[in-house]
Amino acid sequence: ATLAGLRAHPDTASLPVLFVTALEGADDRAALLALGVAGIIAKPLDLMTMAVRVRAAWDAIMSRTG
């Protein structure tokens, strides 16, 4: 519901969304990716992985906006 709300609003439709989840199954991850998430971060959180993924999402935004 939250992702759909972001995608429905013009100001947030193109923002990359990272999901933090405890879901481990390949089907669960495939379903999230099919929704258009930019990445999945598994719980328990690894702060280094989270920082790398957030930075990659930020870089993607910056490369689109110039």
Side-chain angles (χ1 to χ4, degrees), residues 21-29 42-43:
T21 182
L23 298 175
E24 296 179 359
D27 291 341
D28 296 322
R29 291 175 178 268
K43 290 181 181 178

Side-chain angles (χ1 to χ4, degrees), residues 37-49:
V37 301
I40 301 167
I41 302 171
K43 290 181 181 178
L45 292 176
D46 169 26
L47 293 180
M48 185 59 71
T49 299

